[in-house]
Amino acid sequence: MIKIHIIGGAGSGKSYISALLSQKLNIPHHDLDDIFWDNQAEVYGVKAPEEQRDQKLRGIVSQDSWIIEGVYRSWVDPSFSVADKIIVLMTPLSVQEERIWARYEERISGVVTSKKRETLEGVRNLLEWNKEYNLKKLSHFVENYENKEKIITVSSNLDIIELFVN
């Protein structure tokens, strides 16, 4: 039984590696976007009510084993506090930006179906937000988190497989 929280910027590879690690370890994985956003809303970008979001998170972290992934830091202390390991995925920003653009193009062209109705302006805003997140917020988290012994920083999502799969 293990509890792993993976945090990283948009396009860092969190979703991909969480699904792969979940399969290899045979434990569930959870994308924090699925509980942060109101997926029943008529329009994209509506946040779920905080109490509902927090209740779902408490349900997940009460399980024996899990992998949780997302960019969120401010409301996920229940996960951080019980996680065995917190993986900080510091994929190079240039790689993240390439992935964000590729994902946008796949969704716009219909190659990949998505509930997200992205716009060019939205992608540009995401790139700016992601730059700030990676260069300042993630570094601040790593430097100031009180339980540093839980944190493992990696630059490639595939490094995570080597950590947990023999």
Side-chain angles (χ1 to χ4, degrees):
M1 293 192 277
I2 189 163
K3 297 176 181 183
I4 304 167
H5 190 119
I6 300 173
I7 188 169
S12 62
K14 298 177 306 294
S15 297
Y16 170 80
I17 204 61
S18 294
L20 184 59
L21 193 58
S22 170
Q23 179 184 21
K24 292 196 176 289
L25 298 178
N26 196 30
I27 60 175
H29 71 99
H30 306 274
D31 182 341
L32 290 175
D33 278 351
D34 293 338
I35 65 174
F36 183 78
W37 299 107
D38 182 350
N39 295 318
Q40 306 304 316
E42 296 285 324
V43 295
Y44 174 69
V46 176
K47 294 177 184 177
E50 287 183 19
E51 180 54 40
Q52 177 185 346
R53 173 201 74 194
D54 294 347
Q55 182 179 5
K56 287 181 180 179
L57 181 61
R58 285 190 300 270
I60 293 168
V61 300
S62 70
Q63 298 171 6
D64 291 334
S65 294
W66 43 257
I67 300 166
I68 293 175
E69 62 94 353
V71 299
Y72 308 98
R73 294 175 355 274
S74 62
W75 56 274
V76 296
D77 281 338
S79 167
F80 288 159
S81 66
V82 298
D84 298 306
K85 294 294 176 192
I86 301 169
I87 308 299
V88 180
L89 191 47
M90 301 284 267
T91 307
L93 197 54
S94 60
V95 172
Q96 291 180 46
E97 290 172 349
E98 288 175 22
R99 290 175 179 168
I100 291 168
W101 280 115
R103 184 169 58 199
Y104 168 73
E105 291 170 6
E106 289 172 345
R107 289 175 179 166
I108 291 298
S109 69
V111 171
V112 173
T113 57
S114 174
K115 294 179 258 183
K116 298 178 181 179
R117 293 177 286 286
E118 294 171 300
T119 64
L120 188 56
E121 180 183 356
V123 172
R124 288 184 178 137
N125 290 339
L126 175 60
L127 290 168
E128 279 302 310
W129 175 90
N130 200 49
K131 186 176 183 179
E132 171 85 8
Y133 178 82
N134 277 272
L135 298 178
K136 293 185 181 173
K137 293 181 179 178
L138 269 182
S139 297
H140 182 267
F141 172 75
V142 171
E143 291 170 12
N144 296 295
Y145 186 65
E146 58 197 36
N147 295 315
K148 289 186 183 356
E149 71 281 357
K150 289 185 178 188
I151 294 179
I152 300 172
T153 302
V154 297
S155 59
S156 166
N157 59 7
L158 293 177
D159 292 341
I160 298 170
I161 294 294
E162 292 180 20
L163 291 169
F164 296 101
V165 180
N166 297 335

